[in-house]
Amino acid sequence: MSVTTPPGSATTTSPHSPPSAADSADSADPAGPKRRRALGWQVRFGILSLIWGFSFLLIKVGTEGYAPFQVTLGRLVFGTAVVAVVLVMKRERLPRGARTWAHLTVSALLLNALPFSLFAYAELTIPSTLAGICNATSPLWGMALSMVALSEDRPTRRRVAGLGIGFLGVLTVLGAWQGFSGLDFRGTSMALLASLSYPVGWIYVRRTLAGSGHSNLSLTGAQLLVATAELAVVTPLFTSLPTHFPVVPLLAIVALGAVGTGLAFLIQYGLVAEVGPTTAQMVTYFVPVIATAAGVAVLGESLSWSTPVGAVIVLAGAALTQSKPRIRPTEPLRQDDGPRNQPDHA
C-alpha cells in the first residue's frame, strides 16, 4: 500500500532516496545482481502486488474484531518487528542525530500512522474494494503536488491530461452523475485523504532526508519504530483494551503487519534497487485490481459497473502522468552541422 508505497517515479514509489547498504554491496560484488536475477524480480513484483492488494481485505477483517487504531497499532508492531530482525541480521544501526529523528517523526506520521489509521476507519463503512481503488489515486495526488512543490517536475501537457483523466475516473467510481447517491461520504473521504497523505509524506522525505547518508533499511526501520510509538500514545486515548481477542481478526492483523508492511517494504526496496523506481512503481496499477477481486471473491462485496470502469480510467490517468515523452532520434552529424541536431534533454 503505497503505496511508501508506492504510490514522478521516485516520488511515488520510494519514500527514501538514499541508497541502501544492500545496493552498495551489490555494486561491489558482481555476484549480487546475479543472485537477485536468479530469484526473478518479476516473481517478487507479483508477490508484492498480491500482498498489497490483499492488505485492504485484511484491514476489513481486522476491523471486524478490533478498533481501527488497534488494527493500525498491531500492524505497525508486527511490521516493525520484521524489519528489526533484518536490521539485526545485517548489523545495521538506526540513524543518529536529533534532526534526522525529528524529520522521521513527521514522515512516520504522514507515511504510516495517519494513512494506515484513515484506511482502517474508512473500511468501517466502505467496502475494501473502494478503499483499494481510492489508494490508486495516490500517484495522481503525488503528481499534482510535485508539480507545485518540486521544481524538477514541470507541468507538461501530458501530465495535466493524465491528472484530468485520472480525476475523471475518481468521479466515475464515486458515481458523480447520480449525485453520489448511496456513497458513504465520510468513509470515502477518509480513504482519499489517506491516499493524499502518502505523496505529502514522500515530498517531505525527499526534501529533508534525501542524501542523508543513511540506508533505506535503516530509515525504514526507524520510521516504522516512530510510527509505532505514535500509535502507542494515541490508541489508549481513543480505545479501551479488548475484553476478548477474536482469532481470525487477530490473524489478519498479524498478516497485515508482518507481511503487508514489514515484508512488503523489504521486497519493495529490493525491487527499486534492482529494476529502478519507474518499473517498481508499476505495482500501483495492479493493487486495485487485486483488492477488488479479493473483496468480491472472498468477502462477497457487491460491485457496480462504475467501480471497475472508473478504476481503469484512474489507472490510465496515473500511468499517463508517470510516462515520459519519447526523445526523437536525430540525424548523424555532418561536418557543417552544429549543436542544433543534438537531442533536447531539457
Side-chain angles (χ1 to χ4, degrees), residues 182-196:
L183 178 71
D184 186 272
F185 181 78
R186 182 179 179 182
T188 305
S189 298
M190 285 185 174
L192 290 173
L193 185 59
S195 303
L196 173 60

Side-chain angles (χ1 to χ4, degrees), residues 81-154:
V82 170
V83 176
V85 170
V86 178
L87 278 168
V88 173
M89 291 175 60
K90 290 182 174 291
R91 298 182 179 180
E92 287 208 35
R93 296 180 178 180
L94 293 176
R96 296 181 180 179
R99 186 181 182 86
T100 298
W101 282 92
H103 290 315
L104 285 169
T105 300
V106 178
S107 65
L109 173 66
L110 294 173
L111 291 171
N112 302 117
L114 180 60
F116 289 180
S117 299
L118 285 172
F119 272 123
Y121 269 101
E123 292 199 40
L124 289 177
T125 55
I126 67 172
S128 65
T129 54
L130 180 56
I133 292 172
C134 287
N135 182 72
T137 65
S138 200
L140 299 176
W141 298 119
M143 182 56 65
L145 290 172
S146 66
M147 288 192 300
V148 176
L150 300 175
S151 58
E152 62 267 32
D153 288 326
R154 294 177 295 178

